[in-house]
């Protein structure tokens, strides 16, 4: 099969396309998917550089989110069973895995793939996966965002941030988007942000005070680094700060006296830990989110699309922080809905 392959750790440019890479073996409980589109994420860049939390030994096919059509199911997968895992050959699905998405075929555990709602194309489905689910779990369960609250989103031009802007506005919050360029902020505005703050234009704390004189209720932070503390200082008494990721490359250290003085809650979200420890809530959220996707009310913004041949270019684009919303690889002709 054709696949983008990482044969040695390094920058995005080490990833090269091979025409004859062996297709992945189908394991117990798994399905094989003919991939139509895959999303490119920052962790893919880190895995290729061997700078992620876990290592995958080369050679491997990067890519963790894909959408396509099921072409084979393992003998122990029951397509007629109720609930998760009930997938059959021909179903259009969204899949996630640590690696393997930048290829014509990928395998995933049947219980983890989700059917693509009718009317949603494969590119949109591939881009929808982790970012929207992360943002929704964070807003709905961790921050418990309420209608009328003031939500501050850092990294608002990125995958998670832009999804948080869109979903925060949907949940009835007034959203303040913080990003590094007018271009990113314009997209955040189009997705429902009421206030726009360019953190490159000046200090973040006074800029947030200007738009939120009474402070914010919730901060969603997928960036970390130097932006985290001024954002936390911009919360009103009793506010919630949710740490989601460190795209800046720097894990911030927050002086605890700020937490004491402001009476704020500092909360964290990690996908696997949440799904494992709060399975009922995770399932409820996933159901609500898929309904929003099907209704066209939670559509990811695809800022750039590349072909499989340009997988390294796409990884470089993401590595350089140029992405707005999601970056997608077109792997095969999308057949549209079936
Ligand atoms: N906790 C979880 O379960 C979970 C789930 C999904 C993702 N994450 C993490 O959340 C973070 C954001 O993910 P994402 O998909 O939204 O990433 P993304 O699309 O690449 O966006 C990241 C944003 O971070 C900002 N940024 C600041 N310094 C940066 C740098 N040096 N390189 C790249 N971006 C930089 C950029 O915003 P501005 O420059 O405009 O401010 C960018 O838009 C990642 O660290 C990811 O690993 C965590």
């Amino acid at each position: 099969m054709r696949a983008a392959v990482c044969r040695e750790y390094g920058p995005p440019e080490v990833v090269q396309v091979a025409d004859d890479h062996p297709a992945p073996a189908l394991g117990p409980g798994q399905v094989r998917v003919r991939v139509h589109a895959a999303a490119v994420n920052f962790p893919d860049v880190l895995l290729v550089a061997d700078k992620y939390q876990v290592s995958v030994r080369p050679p491997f096919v990067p890519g963790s989110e894909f959408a396509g059509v099921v072409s084979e199911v393992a003998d122990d997968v029951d397509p007629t069973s109720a609930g998760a895992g009930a997938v059959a050959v021909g179903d259009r699905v969204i899949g996630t895995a640590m690696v393997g998405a930048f290829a014509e075929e990928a395998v995933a555990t049947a219980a983890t793939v989700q059917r693509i709602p009718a009317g949603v194309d494969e590119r949109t489905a591939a881009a929808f996966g982790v970012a929207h689910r992360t943002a929704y779990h964070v807003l709905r369960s961790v921050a418990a965002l309420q209608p009328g609250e003031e939500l501050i989103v850092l990294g608002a031009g990125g995958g998670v941030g832009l999804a948080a802007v869109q979903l925060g506005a949907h949940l009835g919050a007034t959203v303040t988007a913080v990003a590094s360029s007018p271009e990113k902020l314009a997209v955040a505005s189009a997705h429902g942000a009421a206030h726009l703050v360019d953190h490159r234009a000046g200090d973040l704390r006074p800029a947030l005070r200007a738009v939120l004189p009474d402070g914010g209720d919730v901060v969603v932070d997928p960036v970390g680094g130097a932006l985290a503390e001024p954002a936390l200082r911009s919360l009103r008494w009793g506010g919630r700060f949710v740490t989601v990721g460190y795209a800046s490359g720097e894990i911030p250290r927050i002086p605890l006296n700020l937490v004491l003085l402001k009476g704020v809650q500092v909360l964290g979200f990690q996908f696997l830990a949440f799904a494992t420890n709060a399975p009922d809530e995770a399932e409820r959220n996933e159901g609500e989110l898929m309904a929003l996707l099907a209704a066209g009310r939670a559509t990811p913004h695809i800022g750039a699309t590349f072909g499989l041949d340009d997988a390294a270019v796409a990884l470089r684009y993401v590595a350089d922080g140029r992405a707005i919303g999601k970056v997608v690889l077109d792997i095969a002709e999308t057949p549209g809905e079936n």
Side-chain angles (χ1 to χ4, degrees), residues 31-252:
V31 296
R32 182 185 303 283
V33 176
R34 166 95 182 140
V35 179
H36 291 278
V40 185
N41 292 294
F42 201 74
D44 304 329
V45 176
L46 297 178
L47 269 170
V48 167
D50 196 25
K51 291 182 178 164
Y52 196 54
Q53 304 144 10
V54 294
S55 292
V56 178
R57 189 178 297 187
F60 67 90
V61 173
S64 59
E65 294 184 272
F66 56 89
V69 178
V70 174
S71 59
E72 187 182 1
V73 298
D75 291 342
D76 59 345
V77 173
D78 179 2
T80 61
S81 71
V87 269
V89 169
D91 284 349
R92 297 188 321 132
V93 294
I94 306 171
T96 52
M98 177 73 71
V99 291
F102 299 170
E104 288 177 329
E105 290 182 27
V107 294
T109 305
T112 64
V113 302
Q114 292 173 296
R115 282 210 185 84
I116 301 172
V120 176
D121 65 81
E122 276 83 357
R123 268 189 201 168
T124 300
F128 182 75
V130 174
H132 267 76
R133 289 157 75 201
T134 296
Y136 198 68
H137 291 317
V138 164
L139 296 174
R140 183 84 165 84
S141 292
V142 184
L145 186 70
Q146 299 301 311
E149 288 195 313
E150 297 283 355
L151 168 67
I152 299 167
V153 179
L154 305 184
V160 173
L162 201 49
V165 168
Q166 185 182 58
L167 294 168
H170 168 76
L171 290 169
T174 303
V175 182
T176 297
V178 179
S180 59
S181 71
E183 197 188 358
K184 287 183 177 180
L185 289 169
V187 176
S189 170
H191 285 78
H195 306 297
L196 308 174
V197 173
D198 184 342
H199 65 79
R200 292 243 169 98
D203 287 346
L204 182 58
R205 178 74 188 95
L208 284 175
R209 192 183 286 123
V211 294
L212 297 171
D214 297 328
D217 295 292
V218 171
V219 170
V220 171
D221 179 13
V223 181
L227 301 184
E229 185 177 324
L232 186 141
R233 286 179 183 272
S234 303
L235 285 170
R236 63 174 62 137
W237 192 89
R240 290 96 77 201
F241 180 101
V242 190
T243 178
V244 182
Y246 311 103
S248 65
E250 189 191 332
I251 299 174

